[in-house]
Amino acid sequence: MTAVDAIPEIVQNLREGFADGLLREKSSRIAQLRQLRLMLVEQEDRLVDALVDDLGKPRIEAYMTEIAFTINEIDHTIKNLDSWTKPEKVKVPITFKPATAKIYPQPLGTVCIIAPWNYPVQLTLAPLVAALAAGNTAVLKPSEVAPATAELIAELIPEYLSSRAVAVVTGAVEETTALLEVRFDHIFYTGNGTVARIVMAAAAKHLTPVTLELGGKSPAIVAADTNVKVTARRIAWAKFVNAGQTCVAPDYVLVEDGVEEELLAALRDAITEFFGDDPQASPDFTRIVNERHYDRLTGLLDSGGYETTVAGGTGDRADRYIAPTVLAGVKPDAPVMNEEIFGPILPVLNVGNIDEAIGFINDREKPLALYAFSTSDDVLSRVVDRTSAGGVTLNHALLHLAVPDLPFGGVGESGMGTYHGKAGFDVFSHRKPVFNKPLRPDPSIMYPPYTKMKQKLIRKFM
Ligand code: NAD
């Protein structure tokens, strides 16, 4: 754990690295990104071990969603950095000609990246890729809730990256509070909305801009005309990967009248197909991160507000295991509908039609993600047009997050700002406008005295 009184000096060291132009050149940014890639490749086994230790993740899932995801982000960034860093030419109005107008992306300085525990490698390092690509030095604050991964990141980063470019601060509330007292040029926070408010208040003291990547209850709408079997498999996969501890997991399902029974049966079948008759024995099912979250989730199950448990509903605290669970006949005011579930519990609610589903969503906070399953383009575009969400995948789930050129982030209660690919580069850059006018010619039309003739010309051209 980082000593609280060491934090100001750690940040100062990074500030000096920035001021000395450590990452001014594109080549030096790429060199750091290559080192980060090398770390992920060479240390894959140890990183996956830590993820297994913290969350009991299946090794291939840890590879896919954390290691490979971050490597892809690095490769995409290196490939595109030339075009992203190039000044962008914009048009000059005729009255200002001859002149040029360009937007120069410039690094912000020293930034702070605070990460959560559910994808602790990806969510700590993917923002770092963007920060380095844009030329910033950065402090990483991994989550103490995934301690094995946090400690390993703190050990490996100084081995691979310049200590004047990137530093890691480990710890919990006390350390993060101390970190937030220091002035940064940007704070990038991923986690829950309550802490986001603390982060934003701390940032306000220094007028530091923030990106807040938060969560929420992401709905999946299932229209009666969909292919129910495929829909159920896709929803079950997206919900139960990482045992539902995914910010963009479908939190609940709104199913249109007529296919509810078929959908519930297909969800149950998908769970058996993925994890067998006893998911606890499956090597492919993740555990709940800690007892506190285990108790929170079983508390939601115990507090009712639904008619039947179609699948799962059981748990084993000593193993931090909660079975993949599907609840039917869920009331809109059930406790399980009052907060983001963030675990392997899927409530299914019936709606009369798609407009009712749209109304249900619009009556609640704006979600981080929204999913809709239908064979009708009209239904899909109606859902997209009439709802607000951080991002949308149609006829599947989660995948918009993995397309590097799609900006990823929330809206309203699910967050502010986006990243991934170019959006990440932009978030850590100031797009600086530069207008450049040659010294000659120097017509006097804009200068006093404003003669009648000048006034006429100004009115004609402006
Ligand atoms: P968490 O408990 O690990 O907290 C996140 C970070 O905040 C940690 O680094 C922690 O040290 C710090 N923190 C905690 N309390 C603090 C305080 N009082 N002051 C300052 N810092 C503090 O993670 P979490 O919040 O449980 O994460 C889960 C939430 O994050 C869910 O809501 C989920 O949807 C959301 N999430 C969003 C995304 C996204 O990309 N939008 C990704 C993952 C998770």
Side-chain angles (χ1 to χ4, degrees):
M1 205 172 294
T2 307
V4 163
D5 49 13
I7 289 174
E9 204 183 313
I10 291 172
V11 180
Q12 184 54 29
N13 187 39
L14 295 168
R15 284 212 166 283
E16 284 166 18
F18 180 79
D20 291 347
L22 190 69
L23 299 176
R24 194 174 294 136
E25 300 303 324
K26 219 168 16 197
S27 56
S28 52
R29 302 178 193 180
I30 288 175
Q32 291 296 303
L33 290 172
R34 292 220 163 99
Q35 279 298 109
L36 189 61
R37 191 185 199 287
L38 187 66
M39 179 185 111
L40 290 163
V41 170
E42 286 186 347
Q43 303 293 337
E44 178 191 323
D45 280 346
R46 289 183 71 200
L47 287 162
V48 171
D49 285 347
L51 293 165
V52 171
D53 205 0
D54 284 330
L55 283 133
K57 291 193 190 220
R59 297 189 78 85
I60 189 65
E61 233 173 73
Y63 169 76
M64 186 170 60
T65 61
E66 305 245 28
I67 311 286
F69 183 99
T70 314
I71 288 175
N72 286 342
E73 191 69 22
I74 294 172
D75 290 347
H76 180 76
T77 299
I78 291 176
K79 196 168 136 209
N80 288 286
L81 199 57
D82 257 349
S83 77
W84 295 348
T85 49
K86 216 171 258 157
E88 183 189 326
K89 255 188 167 167
V90 300
K91 279 193 182 145
V92 175
I94 188 154
T95 38
F96 293 163
K97 283 184 176 172
T100 61
K102 290 182 188 169
I103 301 166
Y104 285 73
Q106 273 209 320
L108 299 172
T110 299
V111 303
C112 175
I113 295 167
I114 303 176
W117 51 267
N118 58 330
Y119 291 88
V121 171
Q122 183 204 133
L123 297 173
T124 310
L125 301 184
L128 176 65
V129 173
L132 290 173
N136 302 275
T137 58
V139 178
L140 303 179
K141 178 23 206 94
S143 175
E144 71 281 12
V145 184
T149 311
E151 287 308 322
L152 186 59
I153 287 174
E155 177 196 324
L156 295 178
I157 289 285
E159 280 177 27
Y160 284 85
L161 299 182
S162 160
S163 62
R164 304 182 72 221
V166 185
V168 184
V169 165
T170 56
V173 176
E174 193 192 347
E175 291 72 19
T176 319
T177 306
L179 188 61
L180 288 171
E181 275 164 21
V182 183
R183 181 177 174 179
F184 287 100
D185 297 295
H186 194 92
I187 298 174
F188 189 103
Y189 166 81
T190 307
N192 68 72
T194 307
V195 174
R197 286 164 168 82
I198 297 172
V199 169
M200 204 168 173
K205 285 197 190 126
H206 299 293
L207 218 57
T208 298
V210 291
T211 302
L212 303 176
E213 295 282 341
L214 315 179
K217 289 185 83 64
S218 300
I221 300 176
V222 177
D225 66 9
T226 192
N227 177 326
V228 173
K229 191 165 179 234
V230 174
T231 297
R233 290 179 77 190
R234 292 181 177 186
I235 291 176
W237 167 73
K239 178 72 185 190
F240 299 119
V241 70
N242 213 34
Q245 299 164 116
T246 302
C247 56
V248 283
D251 187 273
Y252 63 96
V253 173
L254 296 172
V255 57
E256 194 177 7
D257 263 351
V259 286
E260 189 193 11
E261 289 309 316
E262 197 186 339
L263 180 73
L264 292 171
L267 284 167
R268 203 172 35 221
D269 290 348
I271 290 170
T272 312
E273 180 190 338
F274 295 165
F275 307 115
D277 288 330
D278 178 12
Q280 191 169 7
S282 165
D284 297 328
F285 191 64
T286 301
R287 294 304 185 253
I288 304 306
V289 69
N290 58 25
E291 281 78 14
R292 186 170 66 81
H293 280 283
Y294 179 92
D295 293 341
R296 180 181 62 77
L297 289 162
T298 49
L300 288 178
L301 283 177
D302 292 344
S303 49
Y306 53 90
E307 281 163 19
T308 47
T309 304
V310 177
T314 54
D316 175 353
R317 194 171 193 270
D319 189 23
R320 286 188 276 123
Y321 164 79
I322 293 182
T325 296
V326 178
L327 306 175
V330 181
K331 299 196 174 59
D333 60 352
V336 79
M337 290 303 294
N338 279 343
E339 59 179 86
E340 180 183 2
I341 297 170
F342 221 55
I345 301 170
L346 183 66
V348 178
L349 289 83
N350 227 24
V351 286
N353 53 46
I354 297 303
D355 288 334
E356 202 182 299
I358 290 170
F360 187 97
I361 291 162
N362 290 341
D363 281 346
R364 287 161 175 76
E365 296 293 354
K366 292 176 182 176
L368 181 60
L370 186 147
Y371 307 113
F373 294 83
S374 173
T375 49
S376 154
D377 288 343
D378 175 54
V379 166
L380 296 176
S381 58
R382 200 147 31 106
V383 170
V384 172
D385 287 349
R386 297 192 194 169
T387 57
S388 178
V392 174
T393 292
L394 298 174
N395 286 326
H396 214 307
L398 311 189
L399 299 180
H400 63 284
L401 174 146
V403 178
D405 281 327
L406 282 179
F408 176 72
V411 55
E413 190 68 22
S414 57
M416 58 181 76
T418 55
Y419 76 128
H420 290 176
K422 171 79 158 55
F425 177 86
D426 286 343
V427 108
F428 287 110
S429 300
H430 169 55
R431 284 162 53 77
K432 188 167 73 176
V434 176
F435 182 69
N436 186 353
K437 185 139 179 73
L439 283 165
R440 300 228 162 258
D442 190 35
S444 61
I445 175 174
M446 279 203 318
Y447 308 139
Y450 300 117
T451 58
K452 283 252 154 60
M453 173 57 87
K454 284 186 188 174
Q455 286 186 40
K456 226 168 135 184
L457 285 169
I458 286 169
R459 286 189 184 280
K460 189 170 162 102
F461 289 109
M462 291 188 117

